[in-house]
Amino acid sequence: MFEDFGSTSKVRKWRSDRMARGGNALATAKRWLGIWAIGFVLWTVLASLSAAGAHVYAASLGNPASWAQLLAWNLTICFVWSLLTPPVYALARRFTFDRSNWKLTLPLHIAMSIALTLIAACVIVWIEPFVTWTPEAHLPYLAHVLSRAFMDLQRYWYIVLITQAISYYGKYRERELQSSQLEAQLALAQLEVLKIQLEPHFLFNTLNSIAALARYDGEAAENMTLQLADLLRFSLDAMGVHEVPLSRELTLLQKYVDIQQMRFQDRLQVEMDIAGNTLSALVPNMILQPLVENAIRHGIGPRRGPGRVCIMSRQVFDELWLEICDDGIGLTRYDGTVPPEGVGLRNTRARLQQLYNHDHRLILEDAPGGGCVIKIHIPFRIYSEEVSIRDAHSSVA
């Protein structure tokens, strides 16, 4: 039974290989037929133009030639060369004029052009009496063949030049595609570096908050640690994801806010003014947390009294507008200077640049009533599925 099974498997494999070979042969035949068809069309157009030119020239000399004879003769020549087009095309594809091998390629093509042109001339001169009558028919056969060969030698080089042009264009497109793929891969790698840089920064600041709280409220510090574990577990679910729906980003932000409210107690109030139609809009992963952290740490933290942070989202035409506003000490210091941007803000700028290139805005300014406001404008795109490392090229192109 096992022998039968093995024999059956071999038969199936043989049949599969045979079908694969047959499929490859059919594909190759179709490819060469297509090359011949293109050559035939081009040569036919050239034959028609040549016949028309010869007819006009003969008519201008007062000795008009038969249009049918001229067309039949030129079509005969071009039909023979359409049969030679696939092999010449194959030679030109195989032996290209690259900088490294042109010294070998040029003599080869010169030799092949002479050989194939002579073969074509012999066939054309032999066929000529069956097609039409021309004065050249009275020439000696060898002279007639050489005359025809000298006139048709350029046809070989037409095919070579067109093939080289197609080959160079294909290589150019291939290099262009490789370049765009490398740029996308570089952008993805840079996004990963930025995201990896952001997560330890966020963790470090949160642990500092826990340590500060542990000095006077151990139970609250324990609860904050549990909240941090829940937050980290939630953020791990989005590993390798660069864009998420705004609703998911707000869920992550709320977990962070809960931790901070344990620390600041009544000193921190967070309000959210989120338009319902923006909840499914795609935003960069962890875009809001570092900005809210900046507002709490640099705006609310230095104040003695309570502070407020407001997060707003709106759709404005084809853009998503996000704002993080606080009523803290403001962006401009008392001496009129603006402090340098920290890791979170620099990271946010870099990530927006990588994801949206120039199709975004990030504005940081003093709020009219005091405090600071951060405005982000990005393209409004509805969530369909989260963009991961594998298929994030559309986000960074």
Side-chain angles (χ1 to χ4, degrees), residues 177-188 190 354 396:
L177 177 61
Q178 290 176 350
S179 176
S180 65
Q181 289 175 343
L182 287 174
E183 288 178 3
Q185 291 170 4
L186 176 61
L188 288 173
Q190 290 172 339
Q354 289 293 339
V396 298

Side-chain angles (χ1 to χ4, degrees), residues 251-305:
T251 301
L252 176 68
L253 178 63
Q254 187 60 54
K255 292 181 181 294
Y256 172 77
V257 169
D258 291 343
I259 292 174
Q260 294 302 320
Q261 285 181 326
M262 287 183 187
R263 175 186 174 188
F264 286 93
Q265 301 292 328
D266 296 334
R267 289 184 54 212
L268 175 63
Q269 179 184 2
V270 179
E271 299 177 358
M272 295 193 183
D273 182 14
I274 307 298
N277 66 325
T278 64
L279 288 172
S280 58
L282 283 172
V283 298
N285 191 15
M286 289 189 72
I287 192 70
L288 296 178
Q289 183 276 327
L291 301 180
V292 173
E293 179 182 347
N294 271 353
I296 295 174
R297 187 179 180 188
H298 301 293
I300 307 302
R303 290 183 49 166
R304 292 184 178 274

Side-chain angles (χ1 to χ4, degrees), residues 250-373:
L250 292 173
T251 301
L252 176 68
L253 178 63
Q254 187 60 54
K255 292 181 181 294
Y256 172 77
V257 169
D258 291 343
I259 292 174
Q260 294 302 320
Q261 285 181 326
M262 287 183 187
R263 175 186 174 188
F264 286 93
Q265 301 292 328
D266 296 334
R267 289 184 54 212
L268 175 63
Q269 179 184 2
V270 179
E271 299 177 358
M272 295 193 183
D273 182 14
I274 307 298
N277 66 325
T278 64
L279 288 172
S280 58
L282 283 172
V283 298
N285 191 15
M286 289 189 72
I287 192 70
L288 296 178
Q289 183 276 327
L291 301 180
V292 173
E293 179 182 347
N294 271 353
I296 295 174
R297 187 179 180 188
H298 301 293
I300 307 302
R303 290 183 49 166
R304 292 184 178 274
R308 180 174 62 88
V309 177
C310 181
I311 298 97
M312 183 272 288
S313 73
R314 292 287 185 274
Q315 180 185 0
V316 181
F317 299 108
D318 58 347
E319 288 187 332
L320 174 66
W321 287 18
L322 301 171
E323 285 190 12
I324 298 93
C325 183
D326 67 75
D327 59 357
I329 63 174
L331 177 64
T332 307
R333 290 173 173 170
Y334 297 110
D335 58 1
T337 62
V338 177
E341 294 183 354
V343 173
L345 195 55
R346 291 199 308 269
N347 185 287
T348 299
R349 286 190 186 277
R351 294 176 68 209
L352 289 172
Q353 179 64 31
Q354 289 293 339
L355 280 168
Y356 307 112
N357 200 3
H358 300 296
D359 196 15
H360 79 280
R361 283 193 295 168
L362 190 151
I363 304 168
L364 180 64
E365 59 188 13
D366 287 309
C372 179
V373 60

Side-chain angles (χ1 to χ4, degrees), residues 47-349:
S48 302
L49 294 175
S50 297
H55 182 71
V56 172
Y57 178 75
S60 66
L61 296 178
N63 184 24
S66 169
W67 165 252
Q69 284 188 342
L70 289 172
L71 183 61
W73 172 236
N74 281 278
L75 286 176
T76 300
I77 298 171
C78 289
F79 179 76
V80 172
W81 274 98
S82 70
L83 295 177
L84 290 176
T85 297
V88 175
Y89 173 84
L91 280 171
R93 293 282 293 183
R94 175 66 180 84
F95 301 99
T96 58
F97 288 93
D98 296 328
R99 185 178 299 179
S100 58
N101 65 349
W102 69 270
K103 292 181 180 179
L104 174 65
T105 302
L106 182 59
L108 174 67
H109 279 295
I110 291 175
M112 292 304 299
S113 66
I114 294 173
L116 290 178
T117 303
L118 284 173
I119 292 173
C122 290
V123 174
I124 292 169
V125 171
W126 176 75
I127 294 176
E128 181 182 0
F130 301 100
V131 177
T132 184
W133 179 90
T134 60
E136 289 81 4
H138 299 293
L139 293 175
Y141 180 79
L142 181 58
H144 197 171
V145 168
L146 289 176
S147 173
R148 185 76 260 161
F150 279 119
M151 286 188 290
D152 289 348
L153 186 64
Q154 59 187 329
R155 297 177 186 270
Y156 179 96
W157 294 99
Y158 287 161
I159 302 171
V160 171
L161 289 175
I162 293 174
T163 305
Q164 290 295 302
I166 294 172
S167 177
Y168 286 140
Y169 178 74
K171 290 178 181 178
Y172 167 76
R173 291 290 297 171
E174 185 178 354
R175 284 195 297 267
E176 196 175 53
L177 177 61
Q178 290 176 350
S179 176
S180 65
Q181 289 175 343
L182 287 174
E183 288 178 3
Q185 291 170 4
L186 176 61
L188 288 173
Q190 290 172 339
L191 280 172
E192 282 301 297
V193 170
L194 292 169
K195 193 167 182 290
I196 291 170
Q197 180 190 38
L198 179 62
E199 289 166 353
H201 176 259
F202 151 71
L203 181 60
F204 174 76
N205 290 337
T206 307
L207 289 174
N208 275 346
S209 299
I210 293 173
L213 187 62
R215 294 170 187 159
Y216 58 87
D217 192 342
E219 183 178 352
E222 181 182 355
N223 290 334
M224 187 182 288
T225 304
L226 294 175
Q227 289 281 356
L228 175 60
D230 189 31
L231 175 60
L232 291 176
R233 188 180 302 109
F234 187 85
S235 63
L236 285 173
D237 292 339
M239 283 290 290
V241 177
H242 296 301
E243 289 185 300
V244 296
L246 179 60
S247 57
R248 181 187 180 92
E249 181 69 10
L250 292 173
T251 301
L252 176 68
L253 178 63
Q254 187 60 54
K255 292 181 181 294
Y256 172 77
V257 169
D258 291 343
I259 292 174
Q260 294 302 320
Q261 285 181 326
M262 287 183 187
R263 175 186 174 188
F264 286 93
Q265 301 292 328
D266 296 334
R267 289 184 54 212
L268 175 63
Q269 179 184 2
V270 179
E271 299 177 358
M272 295 193 183
D273 182 14
I274 307 298
N277 66 325
T278 64
L279 288 172
S280 58
L282 283 172
V283 298
N285 191 15
M286 289 189 72
I287 192 70
L288 296 178
Q289 183 276 327
L291 301 180
V292 173
E293 179 182 347
N294 271 353
I296 295 174
R297 187 179 180 188
H298 301 293
I300 307 302
R303 290 183 49 166
R304 292 184 178 274
R308 180 174 62 88
V309 177
C310 181
I311 298 97
M312 183 272 288
S313 73
R314 292 287 185 274
Q315 180 185 0
V316 181
F317 299 108
D318 58 347
E319 288 187 332
L320 174 66
W321 287 18
L322 301 171
E323 285 190 12
I324 298 93
C325 183
D326 67 75
D327 59 357
I329 63 174
L331 177 64
T332 307
R333 290 173 173 170
Y334 297 110
D335 58 1
T337 62
V338 177
E341 294 183 354
V343 173
L345 195 55
R346 291 199 308 269
N347 185 287
T348 299
R349 286 190 186 277

